[in-house]
Amino acid sequence: MAMIGRYKDGIRAVPGLHVLGEPHLSIVAFGSTGFDIFRVSEVMAAKGWVPGLVQEPRAIHRMMSLIHADSMDEYLDDLRAAVGVVRQEGGRASTIQATY
């Protein structure tokens, strides 16, 4: 659970992102009211990450396990960079859709 807490803290440290709710288990969803979070997921996918999507509210979610601990810093670095790309694009719309 400490690893999940560190992951949630890392998301909250990215300007414009927020964790949805107060998840106590290993599924963590996050979104943004300032930019297209699905566009962030497209940028992350281009870097090799497989983001899960939530339709309402629009969000990215991950089901965390200890296997994610070793790559967490890399993921959070790529997430910060992806948010930067989306902000620089100035409103480019995503083409990806959530299925649930």
Side-chain angles (χ1 to χ4, degrees):
M1 295 312 296
M3 180 201 69
I4 302 220
R6 191 167 75 93
Y7 175 66
K8 291 187 292 188
D9 290 344
I11 290 167
R12 289 181 184 119
V14 178
L17 294 182
H18 60 270
V19 174
L20 277 67
E22 286 297 326
H24 297 289
L25 298 175
S26 61
I27 298 175
V28 177
F30 60 94
S32 175
T33 58
F35 46 83
D36 185 352
I37 196 68
F38 284 8
R39 181 67 192 123
V40 172
S41 73
E42 290 173 335
V43 175
M44 292 293 285
K47 293 176 180 254
W49 300 105
V50 181
L53 300 176
V54 177
Q55 287 182 12
E56 191 61 40
R58 290 169 64 103
I60 295 173
H61 77 87
R62 291 183 82 198
M63 183 173 155
M64 303 294 291
S65 69
L66 289 177
I67 198 165
H68 296 104
D70 290 342
S71 62
M72 185 183 314
D73 291 333
E74 181 183 0
Y75 181 88
L76 292 171
D77 287 345
D78 284 349
L79 181 61
R80 277 187 289 280
V83 166
V85 166
V86 171
R87 285 183 182 276
Q88 287 179 342
E89 290 176 342
R92 177 176 167 191
S94 62
T95 59
I96 195 168
Q97 294 182 0
T99 56
Y100 62 97

